[in-house]
Amino acid sequence: MNKLIDNILKFRWFIVILIPLLTIGISTNLKHLEFEGSYRIWFGEDSKILKDYDDFRLVFGNDDAISIIFKDENGILNKKALHVIQRMTKKLWATKYIARVDSLTNYQYIHADKEYPDDILIEDFIEDIDSLTEKNLQEKKEAILKEDSIIGRILSEDTKTTMIVARMTPKAGNDPEVSKKLQDAAQKIVDSEKESGYNFHLSGGPVLNMAFITLGEYDAKTFTPIVLLVSMILLYVIFRRPSGMFLSISVVIFTFLIVLSVQVLLGYRINNFTANMPIFVVAIGIADAMHLFWIYLIGRKKGLDNTQAIHYSVTKNFLPILFTSLTTAVGFASLGISDVIPIKTLGIATANAALLAFVLTILFVPAVLAIINPKIKAKEIHAEDDDISRHSSPFAKKYTNFIIKNDSKIILASFIIFSFIGIGISFVKVDSNTVRYFKEEVEFRKSIQFIQDNLTGPMAYEIVVDSKEKDGIKSPEFMRTVEKFYVDYKNEFSDVQHVSSLLDILKKLNEVMDNSKTIPNDKNKISQYLFFYTMSLPQGMEINDRRDVTERYFRITSSVNIVDTSLDLKMIKWIEAWWKNTPYTAKTNGQTVMFAHMQHDVTDTLIESILLAITAVSIMMILIFKNLKMLPLFIVPNILPIVLVVGAMGWMGITIDIGVAISGAIIIGVAVDDTIHFFVKYREARKRGDSLRESLEYVMTYAGSAIIFTTIILCVAFMVFAFSQFLPNVNFGIVTTIALAIAVLVDLVMLPAILSKLDSKEKSLLT
């Protein structure tokens, strides 16, 4: 160890110059930094969920769209509103990446010709708006209210709210640049209609993608500087000298710039989670540097010269910081098993950051201290190192007296409080609904809520039914089964607002031709109706998106309210089970379904990453302390914060989402640092023969204060996320802050009280 320190001191100028230059050099790659907001980032390329969705789009085309919604309190069926719809429809048709536009004006209305009743017409519902009289408009209103395929989907039942849906070309949704271009184009169309006085809302995949990107970029640009600034202020308050602040912040900045640059070099794009990596690095890097500088200050204040204090601090801290860096890396790396790609990427990148922060701390901090040799007035002079170690601070003495005097009360109070908090676990729910990833004031969230409150269910299920044979969808028995499904499905789930398919068109054709809004009993008649309808449609309005080319597979679209993903999964399961009880089968698809299925990945991430982190940390604790019988005391302080924070979530009404899913392993990885620093110092004191009281005083003097201060900085850093508009970040920040606060109380209050009862004999259990 002394040789390593001597080499660091010998090459101090080389280290101090090389590390910043290396950082600056590799950081030039940050000019290629890009943000990724596509829904595809949440799934691996080999994901079955993603593959099923891609297969669905190959058959039925892109289900993604950008929509414009607005409301007229006097009803949409007036000339002003209809002109707005017609102009927007035409402009959207002319927009690049748009394959089809559906609106009230171009709705393909099926009706009999008034002059020649035997002739059936299929034409735009609204054409020459200026020629319409008030009587015509009233007739149009009465006619459209009878159209099942449009009421509750394109037009509200009260006819006050309407939506123009621009369906995207097959691969348009895969590129974030396309999302931006489409949103900008739609916004330009909306802006051109501002004089109408309507309040327009934008919705759809491109808007969602841009919401992810916009909020992610905002969080990265806003919160990282804030956390750095707040950390610098806290460090200055704690150390009361610029050198301590400068050293800790330098390590952090070097670390996250290098790791971020490496991510760019490897071809990764930043997303809503990896954008927060700098803040995670702040938490990791500051803890290492703080412990090193803290012991250095103690050494200088007790009479050691600069070189001696550096040797003293590195010697005391090398193993604890190494161990804590390894356990922190393990905590983050355990997220690498997740099937949710942003979580996996964040975990691996931050695990590397934890190890890099250790290397930079051990090299850079001593090298800078050797050069600047800060002036620190010695308060006491001691000739021997042991004398320094045995001197306790007044606060440490008061702390130890309190713990030993009240150990039984502390244990009892902890049990009662923790039991009460733990009850909240029974209230916790899992929810990965993408709409609820955003706070209610976010424009995208407001648009979605507006659709639900005024028009239809904003979430879509794409139900693909297999008729089991070619041309099977033309069977009257098949169509009657679809009709029965409509009824049962709506009766079972009140959140289903609209269901549509070719069944609606078929029944409408039969009503016009045979004066009966029912399903024809003849397969040939069904075939003729569908053929007639297809041949009568204008170019671009074909029904290829409603059935496959062999007419075996049949698509039903269900518009559903925003619900918990648990209910999403229940509906999906019910749908597929319902069809299994028929001669046919069905499979649900679409982006809503994709994210609902991601709930399993979220839950698996939380459980598996925690178990992996606990297992890895347990093994490391055994290797570090070589004491199997004390393993419960090593592990419980790190499991307890997880259990209690989940209980606190239940009481606070916070659901488990992807933000919470990543917090478990991170909490263990970071919280275990406190436990390691505590036990390393405690074991040192007990091994040299100190009593329980002297050992606890030693822990508080040489580790306790640093643990408290680092926890304060960590809590402040993570609590910044509470101000994000991206709710997984908010939940992550709140949950992690609470857990770390619980962890420090467990490590510095409950754990010492337990040791006071168990380890009071002359021979320590840890030796």
Side-chain angles (χ1 to χ4, degrees):
M1 180 60 65
N2 285 330
K3 187 175 180 181
L4 171 64
I5 301 168
D6 288 338
N7 284 328
I8 292 172
L9 298 179
K10 179 180 178 182
F11 296 103
R12 56 188 180 277
W13 281 105
F14 177 76
I15 293 170
V16 168
I17 293 171
L18 178 65
I19 290 176
L21 286 178
L22 180 65
T23 303
I24 293 169
I26 198 170
S27 296
T28 57
N29 292 288
L30 292 178
K31 64 185 177 184
H32 303 298
L33 187 66
E34 294 181 0
F35 218 93
E36 175 67 89
S38 167
Y39 67 87
R40 301 183 74 88
I41 68 171
W42 304 97
F43 308 93
E45 286 303 319
D46 57 347
S47 165
K48 187 179 184 304
I49 297 172
L50 192 60
K51 183 180 182 303
D52 288 345
Y53 180 60
D54 287 341
D55 290 344
F56 162 79
R57 294 205 307 175
L58 281 173
V59 176
F60 296 100
N62 197 342
D63 67 321
D64 209 351
I66 188 162
S67 305
I68 302 174
I69 311 96
F70 72 96
K71 183 175 185 177
D72 189 320
E73 291 294 346
N74 297 317
I76 292 295
L77 273 298
N78 65 75
K79 290 185 180 182
K80 182 178 116 174
L82 292 174
H83 271 303
V84 169
I85 296 169
Q86 195 173 67
R87 287 194 297 267
M88 285 185 162
T89 301
K90 288 178 180 179
K91 289 175 182 177
L92 284 168
W93 266 116
T95 301
K96 190 178 181 182
Y97 306 115
I98 295 299
R100 170 176 176 160
V101 183
D102 291 294
S103 70
L104 177 62
T105 57
N106 77 347
Y107 170 64
Q108 296 305 291
Y109 180 49
I110 306 169
H111 63 105
D113 191 317
K114 288 183 179 180
E115 295 184 11
Y116 305 98
D118 290 337
D119 290 347
I120 306 301
L121 301 178
I122 300 176
E123 60 187 0
D124 288 354
F125 182 63
I126 303 288
E127 292 182 305
D128 187 1
I129 298 172
D130 291 328
S131 67
L132 296 174
T133 64
E134 287 301 319
K135 183 182 178 182
N136 296 147
L137 289 171
Q138 184 59 35
E139 289 173 350
K140 290 286 186 184
K141 180 177 179 180
E142 291 172 1
I144 201 67
L145 284 171
K146 298 176 183 177
E147 300 296 304
D148 295 336
S149 60
I150 193 170
I151 296 298
R153 185 174 70 91
I154 295 293
L155 184 67
S156 61
E157 291 182 9
D158 61 8
T159 71
K160 291 181 179 181
T161 307
T162 191
M163 176 162 58
I164 306 160
V165 182
R167 195 85 52 80
M168 294 156 60
T169 52
K171 295 185 178 180
N174 299 346
D175 186 354
E177 280 300 313
V178 172
S179 293
K180 186 176 188 312
K181 289 175 182 177
L182 279 174
Q183 179 170 283
D184 290 346
Q187 188 61 52
K188 187 176 179 181
I189 293 171
V190 164
D191 291 341
S192 70
E193 297 292 343
K194 276 187 176 179
E195 290 184 3
S196 67
Y198 294 124
N199 292 319
F200 298 99
H201 299 268
L202 294 180
S203 179
V207 183
L208 172 62
N209 291 344
M210 291 312 299
F212 275 125
I213 292 172
T214 303
L215 292 187
E217 288 179 340
Y218 176 82
D219 285 0
K221 292 175 182 177
T222 304
F223 296 145
T224 299
I226 289 175
V227 168
L228 285 172
L229 179 61
V230 172
S231 299
M232 289 170 69
I233 293 170
L234 289 174
L235 286 167
Y236 186 79
V237 169
I238 292 167
F239 293 124
R240 299 191 182 279
R241 56 189 69 251
S243 53
M245 175 189 72
F246 166 76
L247 288 171
S248 299
I249 290 298
S250 296
V251 169
V252 165
I253 293 174
F254 294 153
T255 303
F256 78 66
L257 286 177
I258 292 172
V259 173
L260 203 56
S261 299
V262 170
Q263 289 288 298
V264 174
L265 277 172
L266 294 174
Y268 289 102
R269 290 178 174 179
I270 300 301
N271 55 59
N272 290 73
F273 279 111
T274 51
N276 300 321
M277 188 182 64
I279 298 178
F280 293 164
V281 176
V282 169
I284 296 166
I286 281 181
D288 290 349
M290 271 196 69
H291 279 280
L292 201 64
F293 192 73
W294 185 262
I295 302 300
Y296 169 82
L297 278 180
I298 291 175
R300 291 296 301 274
K301 287 178 180 179
K302 296 183 181 301
L304 298 179
D305 64 27
N306 191 47
T307 301
Q308 289 174 325
I310 292 171
H311 270 271
Y312 180 66
S313 180
V314 175
T315 302
K316 287 281 184 184
N317 281 295
F318 184 86
L319 287 179
I321 293 176
L322 173 61
F323 296 153
T324 56
S325 297
L326 290 172
T327 52
T328 301
V330 165
F332 281 103
S334 67
L335 297 173
I337 64 172
S338 177
D339 290 328
V340 184
I341 300 304
I343 294 178
K344 180 197 290 278
T345 307
L346 174 69
I348 295 171
T350 316
N352 291 329
L355 300 177
L356 179 61
F358 164 74
V359 174
L360 293 179
T361 298
I362 292 299
L363 294 177
F364 188 74
V365 174
V368 173
L369 287 173
I371 292 171
I372 65 174
N373 189 9
K375 293 182 180 180
I376 301 170
K377 187 177 179 180
K379 293 183 179 180
E380 300 174 31
I381 305 297
H382 295 280
E384 298 295 330
D385 201 25
D386 282 346
D387 292 333
I388 297 174
S389 299
R390 292 186 182 279
H391 181 80
S392 300
S393 67
F395 173 73
K397 292 180 181 293
K398 291 179 182 178
Y399 156 83
T400 302
N401 287 334
F402 173 79
I403 295 294
I404 294 175
K405 183 179 178 180
N406 299 286
D407 52 6
S408 297
K409 293 178 182 177
I410 290 170
I411 294 170
L412 179 61
S414 299
F415 177 78
I416 294 171
I417 294 170
F418 293 165
S419 296
F420 175 76
I421 295 173
I423 293 171
I425 294 174
S426 60
F427 310 141
V428 176
K429 296 187 296 183
V430 181
D431 189 14
S432 59
N433 189 303
T434 46
V435 174
R436 290 180 177 159
Y437 284 174
F438 305 95
K439 283 187 176 178
E440 292 181 359
E441 60 266 27
V442 174
E443 201 59 43
F444 170 75
R445 176 77 181 267
K446 287 196 289 187
S447 296
I448 293 295
Q449 194 63 51
F450 180 84
I451 295 172
Q452 178 167 308
D453 294 341
N454 295 278
L455 179 57
T456 188
M459 315 305 288
Y461 294 168
E462 303 297 346
I463 304 161
V464 178
V465 184
D466 183 359
S467 68
K468 300 298 183 181
E469 60 181 351
K470 185 180 178 182
D471 294 330
I473 69 169
K474 298 174 183 177
S475 161
E477 291 78 16
F478 176 80
M479 284 296 182
R480 278 193 283 271
T481 307
V482 172
E483 187 176 42
K484 186 175 187 305
F485 170 74
Y486 272 34
V487 176
D488 290 352
Y489 183 34
K490 289 179 179 178
N491 288 339
E492 184 71 21
F493 300 104
S494 60
D495 285 296
V496 178
Q497 289 208 29
H498 190 268
V499 184
S500 63
S501 70
L502 284 176
L503 172 67
D504 310 309
I505 295 166
L506 184 64
K507 290 170 69 176
K508 179 65 179 179
L509 283 165
N510 202 48
E511 179 187 20
V512 174
M513 292 184 174
D514 286 352
N515 201 31
S516 174
K517 198 174 183 178
T518 57
I519 298 166
N521 291 319
D522 182 30
K523 185 174 182 179
N524 289 331
K525 185 176 281 191
I526 292 175
S527 181
Q528 289 168 11
Y529 281 173
L530 292 178
F531 178 75
F532 168 73
Y533 182 74
T534 302
M535 297 304 294
S536 302
L537 292 173
Q539 186 175 358
M541 301 293 283
E542 296 87 355
I543 59 171
N544 296 333
D545 63 331
R546 309 313 300 172
R547 75 316 184 240
D548 74 317
V549 292
T550 67
E551 298 188 315
R552 169 178 171 172
Y553 295 96
F554 188 81
R555 176 181 173 183
I556 303 170
T557 299
S558 166
S559 299
V560 182
N561 289 336
I562 305 165
V563 297
D564 292 344
T565 46
S566 298
L567 182 53
D568 276 322
L569 293 171
K570 181 181 178 181
M571 279 196 259
I572 293 165
K573 186 177 180 181
W574 183 92
I575 290 166
E576 295 179 356
W578 190 95
W579 282 99
K580 279 183 181 177
N581 292 323
T582 71
Y584 319 106
T585 58
K587 189 164 187 176
T588 51
N589 220 308
Q591 291 191 30
T592 302
V593 174
M594 288 173 67
F595 281 97
H597 282 305
M598 200 173 77
Q599 174 171 298
H600 295 301
D601 295 335
V602 169
T603 307
D604 291 347
T605 294
L606 181 64
I607 296 172
E608 293 173 6
S609 63
I610 288 176
L611 291 176
L612 180 59
I614 289 172
T615 302
V617 167
S618 300
I619 294 171
M620 292 178 69
M621 287 291 200
I622 293 171
L623 294 175
I624 293 168
F625 295 105
K626 298 180 175 62
N627 194 329
L628 187 60
K629 63 183 179 181
M630 290 299 292
L631 187 60
L633 275 182
F634 299 147
I635 300 305
V636 169
N638 302 301
I639 297 177
L640 204 52
I642 299 288
V643 175
L644 294 176
V645 81
V646 174
M649 286 171 57
W651 289 112
M652 296 169 68
I654 298 175
T655 56
I656 295 176
D657 58 17
I658 52 177
V660 175
I662 69 173
S663 66
I666 292 173
I667 289 166
I668 291 176
V670 176
V672 76
D673 295 1
D674 297 346
T675 309
I676 289 176
H677 281 289
F678 180 95
F679 274 118
V680 166
K681 294 295 186 290
Y682 183 79
R683 189 177 66 165
E684 281 179 14
R686 291 298 262 167
K687 273 192 169 183
R688 71 184 187 184
D690 285 1
S691 65
L692 171 77
R693 180 181 295 275
E694 291 168 333
S695 299
L696 291 178
E697 289 177 3
Y698 178 76
V699 169
M700 183 51 64
T701 301
Y702 289 91
S705 298
I707 288 172
I708 293 170
F709 292 141
T710 53
T711 301
I712 291 171
I713 293 177
L714 289 174
C715 288
V716 170
F718 288 127
M719 201 59 201
V720 166
F721 286 118
F723 299 99
S724 173
Q725 290 186 312
F726 187 61
L727 279 174
N729 282 347
V730 174
N731 291 340
F732 168 79
I734 293 172
V735 167
T736 307
T737 299
I738 293 172
L740 293 179
I742 292 172
V744 79
L745 289 173
V746 170
D747 279 322
L748 296 183
V749 180
M750 191 187 80
L751 182 58
I754 293 173
L755 285 172
S756 177
K757 301 299 276 184
L758 298 179
D759 205 39
S760 57
K761 297 178 183 178
E762 199 171 308
K763 181 177 174 60
S764 170
L765 293 171
L766 267 72
T767 55

